[in-house]
Amino acid sequence: MSDDRLTISTVSLANFKQRVLLAASNGRFAAMTAYRNDDQMFYIEVVVSSRSEINLIRASLELNQKNYPSLSPQIPAAIWYEREIHDTYGLIADGHPELSPLVSRPTECFKLGRLDKNDADIRGSKVMGNVRGEGVFSIPYGPVRSGVFESIEYRVYSFGEDIPLVEIRPYYKRRGVASCFEKMTVEDGVILAERVEGTLSVAHATAYCQGLEQLSSTRPPKIAELGRVILAELERIANHLDTMVRHTEAAGQAIAYARLSFSKERIMRLRSLLSGSRFSRGIVVPGGLNAPLALSPMAIITAITDIENIMLSDIEALMTTPSFLDRLRNTGKITVAEAAKTGAIGPIARASGSYEDIRGTRPYGGYRYLGFNLAPPMYQGDALARALVRIEEIRQSLHLIRQAADEIAEINPASLNPESWRCNLEIKDGLVVSSVESPQGELLYHLEVSNKKLKRVWVRCASFHNMALFPTAFKGDILTDFAFIEASFGLCIAGVAG
Amino acid sequence: MPWITRGLRNGIVTTRYPRRRDGYGEGFRGAVVVKGYLSDQASGISSVPIADRSEPGSLQAEHRLARQLELLCPTNAIRADSDVVRVDRGSCILCGRCVAERGDIFAFDPSIEVAALSRSLLFVPELTDLEHEREHLREQLGKKVYSLRRSIYVRHIDLGSDGAEEWEIAALNNPVYDIARLGIFFTASPRHADILLATGVGASNMVDPALRTFEAMAEPKIVIALGTDAISAGIFQRSDPAANGIASILPIDLWVPGSPPSPLSIRSAIFLAVDLLPKAKVKEKERR
Ligand code: SF4
């Protein structure tokens, strides 16, 4: 099997940081977490992904020890992870620039003794210290936003029109996903996975199921893996269209808004025709798909072509509307160096010079049959580049759907019974890191099964990883650009808050 | 400017609902219904053979079946005893397991009019003796919305959703559902809002912002719990800190199950709330 090249190394805490830095110099820091084992010891884990494999580096802390060396000074992408670990377990990263609460409410952290009172009152005080002074004012956006948005609070500290600092408070809508997983059976876990980020149900279900499949060294039938590709690429189109719709809304392009949201609706309807659910829920299951796709390959291609013509011509018209482009150009710029330093993923990274797309670099599932060609990245790193990257990805997705449908037609689905879309999966114990390319970037599922039960499920959503980059995108941008920068990130807050 | 002509290109795509049924609504899983069970008292149809209860062991077999059915559901939405099996739509997340395993008893129904006036009205088949309660609630809501202006303003608030409900609410603005045409608008300001559309499991950190938003609304105000998560937290009932929906935070007028509810269901719920549904439709719904 080609997709589970996972190396697990357990090192001593003294060697931990060195090992991580070494691995990260040949790969990309992808995730970091901590957990408490049955023996009551704390463990720190770092995932480094590279072109060909996934490295899991793990170190244990001595009993009653709460400190470990911070990775953040060398790896800025670790900043948020170390804050999250501090919130959840109270472990302290020595040398971290500011361990302020991220996913927990400040008052909670204070109660748990992880924060002193002053900090609990004024969060981000250290950072704020730098910008406090004459004429600085802070503008809170959220947590109840103006419009139909998920709850999150941005605090923008400004000297006027320029934006020097954005502080992000995602904890409002925290649901406790990790704790919920521990109480699920292996079979039910996929139902929860679909709801971690509700707009990315297919990506999550696939990552979860693929993890179980890797543990038992089983691959679903080819037809099911291809079916997953079709569902996943439709999900990608819907998500990318959604960001485009948000851009048009922010720009007040009423007709473009209507046109693109109409195309998005058609994609959603196609998804529900295929699976019975507008978010393709309940169809991806361990071992394959629990029902055949409800449309024939030919019907899928016809439907796609029908939507494509209108959708792409509308997008083209939008991308030649000067007043619209002016809003995106040079807005929310992330330089190639910044993206590389913070290990950005997904379309955001690909708009800033990165080739990272695991459909191409570490093909999994049905992509192995399809010859996926990585599109060359953009380098401008602004909202416009991100939009162009997404548009190119929509084209690629359409192409992949056609390819997958053709392959399915070759297998001749009509001759198959529903069971041939799914194989029997025997649950096996073990630890696995499963990854898929969600519309927002690499999605990781860290699964541990013991006694055929879910012992630990840790999900690293692309949005969590990329959100840490958000403040970087504000470089003298005027406040009215905020909506564009936010839309161009296309993040799912549910995934950030956990 | 190419946009102006583009706007006219597809002709009318807007759904005719509520005046006419939208064909699409029939295509997907709107809700779970009970087709039949051991006893046909509640449902009227019985596709599962009724055991001869005088036979030894038949009662135990019935209990076993009831227990099996209950265990099928990951969110405890199925309540069965030997006479009747009910689905609590307020807990059902439409995972489809019961339909796949016991297609003789459960089925998906394309209904979009899933909104209910109270938590107990979300059970199917309906709990007995609720006629009075429903009448009463209808009347109350009717009185409440009587004074509403012709245009209705809706404010949304997320109390811990998975993000999908927001997509479906936003879809109401697309040309297919186009609720602005019917005089329903989204507003950023709670002060102008008549309806609060609340989504999510009821995350504890959102309690204060939710109360502030609710208090800022002027009377009369209607709160709609949108989605199974908002009603019962759905699959997140197990989470820590415990969530159990938004009813413990806000007073709910209307309950809309679904994971997430489709835009058609959301629209229909808003119509029901402000009494915009054609009377005939309401009658039909009540008969069911
Ligand atoms: S569809 Fe799923 S959640 Fe709903 S009643 Fe059936 S088993 Fe329970």
Side-chain angles (χ1 to χ4, degrees), chain A residues 291 328 400 418:
Chain A
L328 304 189
L400 282 167

mmCIF file of all heavy atoms in Angstrom, chain A residues 291 328 400 418:
data_model
loop_
_atom_site.group_PDB
_atom_site.id
_atom_site.type_symbol
_atom_site.label_atom_id
_atom_site.label_comp_id
_atom_site.label_asym_id
_atom_site.label_seq_id
_atom_site.Cartn_x
_atom_site.Cartn_y
_atom_site.Cartn_z
ATOM 1 N N ALA A 291 -23.874 2.960 -0.393
ATOM 2 C CA ALA A 291 -24.856 2.802 -1.472
ATOM 3 C C ALA A 291 -24.161 3.224 -2.755
ATOM 4 O O ALA A 291 -23.239 4.036 -2.721
ATOM 5 C CB ALA A 291 -26.072 3.674 -1.205
ATOM 6 N N LEU A 328 -9.495 43.013 -4.997
ATOM 7 C CA LEU A 328 -8.721 41.835 -4.605
ATOM 8 C C LEU A 328 -7.219 42.021 -4.780
ATOM 9 O O LEU A 328 -6.421 41.451 -4.051
ATOM 10 C CB LEU A 328 -9.150 40.616 -5.429
ATOM 11 C CG LEU A 328 -10.626 40.231 -5.387
ATOM 12 C CD1 LEU A 328 -10.831 38.891 -6.078
ATOM 13 C CD2 LEU A 328 -11.127 40.133 -3.956
ATOM 14 N N LEU A 400 -11.397 15.959 -12.986
ATOM 15 C CA LEU A 400 -11.282 14.737 -12.182
ATOM 16 C C LEU A 400 -12.607 13.982 -12.114
ATOM 17 O O LEU A 400 -12.646 12.756 -12.154
ATOM 18 C CB LEU A 400 -10.820 15.087 -10.764
ATOM 19 C CG LEU A 400 -9.337 15.395 -10.594
ATOM 20 C CD1 LEU A 400 -9.077 16.022 -9.229
ATOM 21 C CD2 LEU A 400 -8.493 14.130 -10.749
ATOM 22 N N PRO A 418 -25.299 -3.538 -5.083
ATOM 23 C CA PRO A 418 -24.911 -2.471 -4.163
ATOM 24 C C PRO A 418 -23.732 -2.871 -3.273
ATOM 25 O O PRO A 418 -22.905 -2.038 -2.921
ATOM 26 C CB PRO A 418 -26.165 -2.259 -3.317
ATOM 27 C CG PRO A 418 -27.283 -2.718 -4.172
ATOM 28 C CD PRO A 418 -26.739 -3.811 -5.046
#
